[in-house]
Amino acid sequence: MDKHKIADSIRAIPDYPKPDIIFRDVTTLIGDGEVFKAVIDILKHRYEKQNIDFIAGIEARGFVFGAALAYALGIGFVPIRKKGKLPYTTVSEKYSLEYGFDEVEMHIDAFRNKQGARVVLVDDLIATGGTAQASVRLIESIGGECVEAAFIINLKGLQGEKKLLPHTKIFSILEYEGK
């Protein structure tokens, strides 16, 4: 499928959540079965021959894309959630926000104690990169290797990939220069 059709399926909402921000709403992409399937197929074809053990998805939209990709590849899915949302023993990682900190966590046995598990991290978009960077550190902290971080959208103007490139490769289907 043409990348323009994928881009056209994403709703752009100006001045949300604050002035001068264009929010890229992927719920419209997910709601279009043909486009959603094409996106998962792109990701599947990228990773199907790379011996990936797990897909890790960042809450919440990373769950949608990540779980679908894990299913398509026939491998396990690992949720990365905000602190306090997982019921078993977890590891956590703090990251900085514009004003303060937040924290993500995952189950300590998420990779079934497989050392060196090959993992692809998935989310809908990368902006400043803080959440994705913390997620990569989580994957590494329990013995996994983040082979690549995959996004539907890379907001290049916010330079989030600079935080990830020292740790893992990055793949995105679409790129936007602005915020």
Side-chain angles (χ1 to χ4, degrees), residues 38-111:
V39 165
I40 298 305
D41 286 346
I42 288 168
L43 296 172
K44 177 186 176 190
H45 293 303
R46 182 167 182 86
Y47 299 113
E48 66 188 343
K49 294 187 173 146
Q50 292 191 34
N51 298 316
I52 304 301
D53 297 304
F54 295 93
I55 300 298
I58 301 171
E59 184 174 5
R61 291 171 298 277
F63 287 10
V64 175
F65 294 102
L69 176 58
Y71 175 81
L73 293 172
I75 60 176
F77 175 76
V78 175
I80 297 177
R81 301 205 63 189
K82 301 266 186 198
K83 185 161 180 63
K85 300 290 185 177
L86 292 171
Y88 186 65
T89 305
T90 61
V91 292
S92 64
E93 187 70 40
K94 287 186 180 179
Y95 61 97
S96 61
L97 299 166
E98 191 174 355
Y99 298 104
F101 293 91
D102 208 344
E103 198 165 352
V104 289
E105 62 185 10
M106 62 192 287
H107 283 136
I108 198 162
D109 61 353
F111 304 139

Side-chain angles (χ1 to χ4, degrees), residues 12 14 28 36 41 46 58 65 67-68 82 84 113 115 118 124 138:
T28 49
F36 184 48
D41 286 346
R46 182 167 182 86
I58 301 171
F65 294 102
K82 301 266 186 198
N113 301 316
Q115 286 301 307
R118 293 175 52 79
D124 63 329
L138 275 179

Side-chain angles (χ1 to χ4, degrees), residues 1-44:
M1 174 174 287
D2 184 280
K3 286 186 181 183
H4 294 293
K5 186 161 183 173
I6 295 170
D8 289 346
S9 75
I10 298 169
R11 181 174 26 220
I13 302 171
D15 299 321
Y16 182 84
K18 57 186 181 180
D20 297 325
I21 300 291
I22 299 173
F23 185 85
R24 305 293 175 173
D25 179 13
V26 297
T27 62
T28 49
L29 180 157
I30 296 165
D32 183 326
E34 178 187 358
V35 177
F36 184 48
K37 181 181 184 317
V39 165
I40 298 305
D41 286 346
I42 288 168
L43 296 172
K44 177 186 176 190

